[in-house]
Structure formats: C-alpha cells, structure tokens
Amino acid sequence: MINTDLSTQAREKMISTYRHLHQNPELSMQEYKTQEFIEKGLDDIGLEHFRCGGTGVVAIDKNGEGPTVAFRADTDGLPIEEQTGVEYASTSTGELDGATVPVMHGCGHDSHVTAALTAARLIHGQRDAWSGTIVWIFQPAEETAEGSRAMVADGLWDKAPKPEIVLGQHVFPFESGTLHYTLNAAMAAADALKITLYGEQAHGSQPQDSIDPIVLGAHIVTRLQTIVGREVAPLDSAVVTVGTFNSGLKENIIPDRAELKLNIRTLTPDVREHVLASITRIVNAEAEASGAPKPDIEEIYTFPQLKNHPEEGAKVAAALRAELGEDKVIETPPLMGSEDFGHLADSIDVPSMFWFFGGAAADDANPAKNHSPRFLPVEDPTLETGVRAAIAAIGAYVAR
Ligand code: ZN
Ligand code: ZN
C-alpha cells in the first residue's frame, strides 16, 4: 500500500503550491510560467522531466519492474475576471486574439496540478511501497482542445513509456470530499462550427432585390432544432446549440451575409456523424431554398469523446472506494461537458479512466460552477481528496 497521509509540512506545501498557481493563471498554450513552476516542483521532488507539446511537461518516475501508469493534470486558465474576493485571487492578464484580457483559474486546473505534484512527491518518497513506472503528464490547453493533441503530435508516447492506462481527474462543484465517475461514455464529444451564409445586399425597402441571409439564418436555426427533436432517437443524446447569430449593421439595409456559430455535443460516434451530416444537409438545403450561394461550414474545434474503460475503470473505482470510503465514491450519469483527456489514451489505444472530485462546501446549496468568475473550490478537503484519489488510482496498478 502507498501511504496517502499528508504530513503538516506536505500539507503546507500543497496549500502554497495551490495558492501560487491560483494567483498566476495563464491562458491556453501560454502556460510559460506555469511550466517553469511545475519543472521547479519536479526538480524539488527529484524527478526527471522534459517539455512536450510546447508548454507541457512530462515527468517519469521509474521504480523497478512493473506496470506503467500515466496520470494527467491540465494546466491552463481561462479569460475570466476573477470575482472570488480571496487574498490569492488572480490579477493576471493574457493575450487573446490581439487583446489583453483578465485570466483566472476558473476551471480549477490549479487544483489538478497541485494534486498531481503533491501525489508525485508522496509516491516518490515511498520507494518500497510500489514498483513500476509512473508517467506524470502536465498538459497545457485543455480549454481549447489543443493540448492533448499537441503533446501526442510532439511525440509524447515516443519519449515516454507506453502506459497500461491513462488516469486523470477534474474538480467539479460536487460536495468536497466526494468523487464521481461514469463507466463507458463519460463525457460528450464536442464540435464547434462556424457557418457563413451569403445573400444579396439591398435597400431595406427593396426586398425583391435581395437574398436575405437573416431570413435564411432564421430558418436554419429553427430547422436545426429538428435534428435532436426528430432525427436522433429518443434514448440517444445530443445537443445542437446555436450560440451566436450575427448579421447586419443597419435596420434599412438587408445585409449580404450572416454568421452562425454552433456547439454540438454527442455521446456516441454514430450519433455524432448523423448530427454533423444533418447540419450540413439542412444548411445547404435551406440556402438552396432561398436561392442563396452555397454557405461555408468550417470547424472551429473538436473535442474527442471521453470514454472510461468498463473493467479498468471499475478496478480504479474500487481502489478509490477503498481509499475514501464506499459512500464517498459515487457512480453518476454521463456529462454533456467535454474534455480533451481522451485523446492521450485513444492515440495509443489503451484504456483510460477519468473521475471528478468535489470542490463545493457541504453547506453550500448553490456553489459557483466551473467557468464562473466566482468558481472557487474549498481548499479542505478538496485538495487532499484529489491527492488521495490520484495515489489510490495509481496504486491500483503499481502498489506492492
Ligand atoms: Zn473548463
Ligand atoms: Zn477544466
């Protein structure tokens, strides 16, 4: 067994690590100071490491023969102005599309890095308690779905030993001290599309001279709702959201174009293919019905689906229960949120398991959610729970 008890000193180090990270968030693919901080932390533990995927870091802890397990923590912050009011609140800024924006650890990735570094320290100090190899992956740019692809493209699995399983966790506003997981399809695939509709500009009083892209777009928005309502089977899941619809500058000009941005969430590859094909079909058919030129449909990003391996995931869940108690580890339905974690394991066709650790105070009936300017997990016992979960899950493979 690997001991998960935190000494007073280890606890203080954990808190100071967390507060430092919280106060110094960086945007996706700009995690330069975070990368250096992680490297210093790994040096301090005595682990070898290398950079991967730009601002990513990988550390390898080899301790004799045995299984190889990878554990991933994501490192990026978000363009949000923090409103938590804590003394270690962020006042950092970053560059986004040429503008300077406030940055916050609004998704709790600071707690992920803290839990991984703390767990790495505790495990590294117990050489007799385990045998095998641990690959610690500090992944940038989860929020933009770039980071896991960047690391794999940069040769992550050529430079690090191939693991039997890739593990990861995310803080979420469940009750602090609890863990939540789903076997099989755990989080949705997400696709974002930009659709540009073309029309014919005319004076607002002369509609006969126009092809109105606003009327066209309105039909598309309405008709897209029939994909989930009429095409996807009732027991399958999908979301089609039109998040932006921009067109026109003045009330008496019929504009020559409109732009829609869509967010699509699905839980199976079949449903995903169907929904994406239906969107293309409807957009093109509605344009044709309007006598408009063919629209442009561009992908903005795509997040892979997150699947937890049924057997290996159950084995990890059992280890988490043994560590934290039966009632603290809860199986839950899939989330329609998305994560790029899955690509790390999918790219080498090995199992993965990803769970959530609670960050909300027990008496908080309405905790702020991830991506809110007031999102702030309670430190205790959230951080310690993340550390214990990481060690227990890794220990399920390498503990003696
Ligand atoms: Zn997020
Ligand atoms: Zn996140």
Side-chain angles (χ1 to χ4, degrees):
M1 281 287 283
I2 307 172
N3 190 349
T4 60
D5 292 341
L6 285 150
S7 65
T8 308
Q9 197 191 4
R11 193 175 296 275
E12 280 168 8
K13 179 110 191 147
M14 176 177 76
I15 298 286
S16 68
T17 296
Y18 173 69
R19 292 187 179 187
H20 176 89
L21 288 164
H22 189 85
Q23 200 160 22
N24 296 281
E26 293 172 295
L27 291 175
S28 306
M29 286 303 189
Q30 300 174 28
E31 305 93 337
Y32 304 108
K33 288 188 204 131
T34 306
Q35 182 179 43
E36 282 176 23
F37 181 79
I38 291 166
E39 288 170 331
K40 266 179 58 194
L42 295 168
D43 285 339
D44 197 37
I45 298 167
L47 288 176
E48 283 183 28
H49 52 81
F50 58 88
R51 292 183 173 186
C52 185
T55 40
V57 184
V58 178
I60 294 172
D61 195 352
K62 185 159 172 52
N63 186 27
E65 296 300 311
T68 297
V69 183
F71 188 94
R72 175 270 214 170
D74 46 0
T75 66
D76 52 331
L78 285 161
I80 298 174
E81 190 166 3
E82 181 161 354
Q83 293 171 19
T84 61
V86 290
E87 58 182 7
Y88 54 94
S90 164
T91 55
S92 298
T93 58
E95 299 301 312
L96 186 67
D97 300 333
T100 300
V101 296
V103 185
M104 172 192 178
H105 263 301
C107 202
H109 299 183
D110 45 355
S111 69
H112 307 171
V113 174
T114 302
L117 282 173
T118 307
R121 176 180 299 277
L122 290 184
I123 293 176
H124 189 68
Q126 302 178 61
R127 309 311 281 169
D128 296 338
W130 62 283
S131 177
T133 301
I134 303 166
V135 181
W136 295 99
I137 299 171
F138 296 90
Q139 183 214 295
E142 186 282 323
E143 295 290 353
T144 56
E146 294 169 284
S148 64
R149 281 191 187 85
M151 293 189 87
V152 169
D154 194 20
L156 168 64
W157 299 125
D158 302 323
K159 297 169 189 167
K162 187 173 153 177
E164 280 184 24
I165 188 166
V166 184
L167 304 167
Q169 60 182 351
H170 204 301
V171 70
F172 213 67
F174 297 120
E175 185 180 335
S176 180
T178 65
L179 303 180
H180 295 243
Y181 72 98
T182 310
L183 298 179
N184 300 303
M187 292 183 82
D191 294 272
L193 300 177
K194 181 174 121 179
I195 298 172
T196 310
L197 306 173
Y198 302 101
E200 189 68 47
Q201 186 159 326
H203 194 284
S205 68
Q206 311 290 324
Q208 73 277 16
D209 295 336
S210 78
I211 296 172
D212 189 337
I214 295 179
V215 172
L216 166 57
H219 278 280
I220 289 174
V221 171
T222 308
R223 180 118 203 163
L224 287 176
Q225 305 311 313
T226 65
I227 298 174
V228 175
R230 302 287 86 182
E231 294 188 36
V232 173
L235 293 180
D236 285 332
S237 298
V239 179
V240 177
T241 294
V242 180
T244 74
F245 183 165
N246 288 306
S247 186
L249 294 169
K250 199 171 182 310
E251 83 294 338
N252 64 355
I253 303 171
I254 296 169
D256 71 344
R257 66 182 60 205
E259 185 193 275
L260 308 177
K261 286 187 179 163
L262 273 59
N263 194 255
I264 300 113
R265 310 279 172 143
T266 50
L267 287 175
T268 69
D270 286 353
V271 173
R272 175 173 178 268
E273 289 306 316
H274 180 134
V275 169
L276 291 174
S278 298
I279 289 168
T280 303
R281 188 192 76 233
I282 288 170
V283 168
N284 287 332
E286 287 290 350
E288 206 183 319
S290 291
K294 195 171 161 59
D296 283 324
I297 304 176
E298 296 161 74
E299 177 189 301
I300 304 171
Y301 61 72
T302 175
F303 277 87
Q305 204 219 336
L306 194 148
K307 300 180 296 289
N308 285 330
H309 192 275
E311 288 92 44
E312 298 302 317
K315 171 176 159 172
V316 171
L320 297 174
R321 286 202 170 89
E323 172 67 28
L324 289 156
E326 283 293 323
D327 58 326
K328 300 287 188 193
V329 182
I330 300 147
E331 192 167 0
T332 41
L335 291 171
M336 292 311 274
S338 300
E339 249 291 341
D340 76 344
F341 167 80
H343 184 62
L344 296 171
D346 292 348
S347 64
I348 45 171
D349 205 22
V350 300
S352 59
M353 174 65 173
F354 191 83
W355 62 89
F356 296 91
F357 60 111
D363 58 357
D364 190 348
N366 189 21
K369 305 247 166 67
N370 303 54
H371 293 210
S372 155
R374 287 175 302 283
F375 180 68
L376 188 77
V378 290
E379 289 177 342
D380 186 34
T382 303
L383 297 174
E384 184 180 353
T385 305
V387 173
R388 290 174 62 191
I391 296 174
I394 292 167
Y397 292 86
V398 301
R400 276 205 230 267

